Amino acid sequence: MIRTYVKQIIIRATRKWKKQNLDNDEIKIPSNELDVFRDFSRHLEIHFRQKHNVADYADLLHMAPKTLTHKFKSLNLESPNQFIINRILLEAKRLLFYTDKPVKEIAYDLGYEDPAYFNRLFTNKIGSTPTNFKKNYTSGKKYNI
């Protein structure tokens, strides 16, 4: 069910982005550039638990990591690495909020063999340790899912 919702969000976001950027006569983006982004997003959704590097996704798309990064830059998007990190952090927040799993187990579920590395990444990007995030949001939780 969550995958369906995430797919719907990606589709709506892509449509909104298209409407904002492609309807403008000044910007003409070849459809293959947009297809690269769609394929990347699809692969990211499938593999974000195992693959954490741009090179992994570039291999899946049969291109060099630098080429993938340049394609994202030409579309005025964040870097592919930032997309990967954001997706991992989104799933981490979801698991922290909706499950009773300890942080170490969540780190392992997300493909990190060293929970300390996951803790550093989470803390640097979110501004709070995973444990504090869980405590802050669990206290206000209304539903047990």
Side-chain angles (χ1 to χ4, degrees):
M1 191 164 115
I2 291 172
R3 281 187 180 164
T4 304
Y5 287 137
V6 171
K7 286 178 185 176
Q8 288 177 352
I9 290 169
I10 290 170
I11 290 168
R12 288 181 183 171
T14 302
R15 286 180 184 160
K16 187 171 184 158
W17 182 88
K18 271 181 152 178
K19 189 179 278 188
Q20 289 174 348
N21 293 307
L22 297 182
D23 289 344
N24 187 348
D25 291 335
E26 297 171 15
I27 300 174
K28 292 292 179 190
I29 298 172
S31 64
N32 66 342
E33 298 276 325
L34 206 50
D35 288 342
V36 168
F37 175 70
R38 280 192 198 115
D39 290 343
F40 173 83
S41 297
R42 185 172 44 83
H43 284 300
L44 178 60
E45 193 55 39
I46 294 167
H47 301 288
F48 72 91
R49 292 177 190 264
Q50 300 89 18
K51 300 180 186 299
H52 298 165
N53 298 315
V54 175
D56 296 331
Y57 293 96
D59 285 344
L60 290 171
L61 296 169
H62 308 291
M63 63 177 60
K66 200 173 211 178
T67 304
L68 181 60
T69 302
H70 285 299
K71 287 190 182 285
F72 272 60
K73 194 172 188 176
S74 71
L75 292 171
N76 293 324
L77 297 171
E78 293 180 319
S79 71
N81 190 48
Q82 194 59 47
F83 272 91
I84 295 166
I85 290 170
N86 289 343
R87 182 60 184 102
I88 291 168
L89 292 175
L90 179 66
E91 185 68 8
K93 288 179 193 177
R94 187 187 71 77
L95 291 171
L96 287 166
F97 188 81
Y98 289 109
T99 67
D100 292 327
K101 292 181 178 182
V103 175
K104 278 185 178 183
E105 189 175 340
I106 290 172
Y108 291 128
D109 286 351
L110 293 174
Y112 290 95
E113 298 203 10
D114 182 8
Y117 181 77
F118 169 75
N119 280 336
R120 280 193 304 274
L121 174 71
F122 192 93
T123 304
N124 286 340
K125 298 295 181 181
I126 305 300
S128 168
T129 65
T131 306
N132 286 340
F133 180 88
K134 187 174 182 83
K135 282 179 191 172
N136 290 339
Y137 286 95
T138 304
S139 61
K141 185 166 61 170
K142 295 179 183 173
Y143 304 104
N144 289 329
I145 297 177

